[in-house]
Amino acid sequence: SQLQDMSSVKTTAAKDMAFAFDIDGVLVHGDRLIPEGRRALEILNGDNELGIKIPHIFLTNGSGKIESQRCDQLSQILGVPISTEQFIQAHTPMSALAEYYDTVLVVGGEKYKCREVAKLYGFKDIIVPNDIYAANPDISPLKEFFTEEQRATSAPRDFSKVKFDAILVFSDSRDYATDLQIMIDLLLSEDGVLGTKAKDPLANRIPVYFSQGDVLCPTEYPIPRMSQGTFRIALEAIYKSITGHELERVVYGKPELATYKYADEVMSSWMETIHNEERLPKNIYMIGDNPQSDIVGGNMYGWNTCLVRTGVFQGEGNDKENPANFGVFNNVLEAVQAALKKEL
Ligand code: G3P
Ligand code: MG
């Protein structure tokens, strides 16, 4: 019976801890599995001494696909089920904006995938830069390539009659020249109508949102590549050089506070799904590879932070500017095991 008592204490402790996983550089590299990731998730899915599920969510700055597609793809790679109810991409919290803006310019992503994302979130009139280019190619004289496929998917429209309510950058721009040109046009327009110029560009300026702020992103190439942050910096610099004013904008994703608040909501409703108790576990562990997003954000939010060496961070000791408060680990499995050892 002493053994039974021990096990019920541990079960209570297991329900009072939770994990938030970064994805790229922690569980996968692009579409390639980091093998320790699979084992770590199996343990949390119940393959542990208590046979109990330990709550965990996924908090990624990744973007560009609807959540269900990315979850299916990750389930395949990781070999464990991943539900959209435990999954937050960079643009997931932006679904709340659909209540405020009807006509939106959606920037970034492969082909037209972000149009699908915006549709799912409930935006009513979704326009992508290629729709505008198709209506009048003169808008972007620097654009060289425009495929027949792109032309075909854009319904003809008279943009002089369209009033844009907001600009939403969902994912990485595939065409800086055209996207920046059209965004600057809208930011300087009278009331969000293309082809107009506001007398006072600061009055009633169309708002602009970015799904995340990472400057660099690890890819298959040996040196990290430019990410959404560099695109935003370019827009800010151009806007300032033209108007003399700083560009006010909103950024989502880690390490922004709004994203962690959203994560709390997802975490407590996931607790309800798996343990029938809608509440936040006391001890939350963030496991990430990027000190400048995962770790700094988790530290500010009062989470226990674990830095792994399988992604952006490759150093010896802890990160100098944004040290992980729980520790640095060779991989995600070691981090999960250390957290379980501490709490259970
Ligand atoms: O930098 C963008 C993205 O690939 C980062 O994803 O999962 O490391 O937050 P993640
Ligand atoms: Mg990462």
Side-chain angles (χ1 to χ4, degrees):
S1 83
Q2 222 178 359
L3 262 179
Q4 257 173 5
D5 287 350
M6 258 317 269
S7 138
S8 94
V9 169
K10 283 191 176 193
T11 301
T12 309
K15 287 184 181 174
D16 240 332
M17 75 181 301
F19 289 88
F21 288 101
D22 174 77
I23 292 180
D24 285 312
V26 171
L27 298 169
V28 298
H29 284 132
D31 292 339
R32 193 158 37 86
L33 174 72
I34 296 176
E36 291 85 1
R38 177 176 294 184
R39 184 64 202 133
L41 295 179
E42 283 168 357
I43 292 171
L44 301 184
N45 278 335
D47 190 6
N48 52 57
E49 53 165 327
L50 302 168
I52 187 176
K53 283 190 181 175
I54 295 169
H56 55 281
I57 63 166
F58 301 88
L59 184 58
T60 177
N61 273 358
S63 61
K65 276 195 183 83
I66 62 171
E67 283 73 10
S68 59
Q69 277 172 11
R70 185 64 177 143
C71 283
D72 287 350
Q73 192 188 20
L74 286 167
S75 303
Q76 284 276 326
I77 299 169
L78 288 158
V80 296
I82 292 176
S83 161
T84 54
E85 285 177 64
Q86 61 183 147
F87 187 67
I88 305 161
Q89 300 191 99
H91 42 60
T92 309
M94 293 169 79
S95 58
L97 300 173
E99 206 184 305
Y100 304 98
Y101 306 118
D102 287 340
T103 302
V104 289
L105 179 73
V106 169
V107 179
E110 274 174 56
K111 296 250 173 68
Y112 295 99
K113 286 187 183 156
C114 285
R115 203 203 289 276
E116 298 306 310
V117 175
K119 217 180 269 175
L120 176 77
Y121 292 170
F123 291 98
K124 293 185 190 69
D125 189 9
I126 303 149
I127 295 157
V128 301
N130 268 333
D131 299 335
I132 296 166
Y133 185 83
N136 184 0
D138 290 343
I139 200 165
S140 181
L142 300 184
K143 190 176 178 80
E144 269 193 41
F145 302 107
F146 193 70
T147 64
E148 280 312 308
E149 183 198 14
Q150 286 170 331
R151 223 176 270 282
T153 47
S154 307
R157 193 159 173 186
D158 178 2
F159 283 103
S160 69
K161 300 201 165 57
V162 176
K163 180 189 165 323
F164 286 82
D165 298 319
I167 302 170
L168 311 177
V169 182
F170 269 13
S171 196
D172 291 308
S173 167
R174 265 52 178 183
D175 179 356
Y176 273 40
T178 302
D179 293 350
L180 289 171
Q181 178 68 69
I182 291 173
M183 289 165 80
I184 287 288
D185 284 342
L186 280 178
L187 291 170
L188 301 180
S189 70
E190 185 76 57
D191 230 15
V193 179
L194 283 169
T196 65
K197 267 191 93 55
K199 276 174 228 84
D200 174 7
L202 294 186
N204 284 328
R205 209 209 67 210
I206 175 173
V208 54
Y209 296 85
F210 294 85
S211 74
Q212 56 110 335
D214 292 350
V215 173
L216 295 173
C217 171
T219 69
E220 277 73 22
Y221 194 77
I223 302 164
R225 301 289 82 193
M226 300 193 298
S227 188
Q228 221 192 102
T230 53
F231 180 70
R232 189 198 71 238
I233 291 164
L235 182 77
E236 288 167 347
I238 298 165
Y239 183 84
K240 189 165 186 192
S241 73
I242 294 176
T243 65
H245 297 281
E246 299 292 334
L247 175 69
E248 269 181 50
R249 77 286 185 281
V250 177
V251 182
Y252 285 79
K254 295 170 288 182
E256 303 299 325
L257 184 64
T259 287
Y260 288 80
K261 286 190 171 158
Y262 190 88
D264 270 353
E265 283 171 37
V266 171
M267 186 82 84
S268 54
S269 71
W270 184 243
M271 270 291 284
E272 160 93 58
T273 305
I274 65 166
H275 289 313
N276 240 328
E277 297 173 31
E278 191 176 352
R279 63 175 177 87
L280 268 184
K282 265 199 225 101
N283 307 300
I284 298 179
Y285 288 80
M286 168 93 221
I287 305 181
D289 66 303
N290 189 345
Q292 284 169 28
S293 61
D294 309 315
I295 304 305
V296 67
N299 286 348
M300 284 190 302
Y301 208 57
W303 288 358
N304 302 295
T305 50
C306 312
L307 180 60
V308 293
R309 292 202 180 85
T310 46
V312 172
F313 180 79
Q314 307 271 344
E316 272 302 307
N318 211 327
D319 186 63
K320 298 280 173 300
E321 276 92 63
N322 301 295
N325 60 38
F326 187 65
V328 184
F329 301 89
N330 287 324
N331 58 61
V332 61
L333 181 59
E334 287 183 14
V336 165
Q337 283 166 334
L340 294 177
K341 199 167 165 209
K342 160 111 198 286
E343 302 297 336
L344 305 184

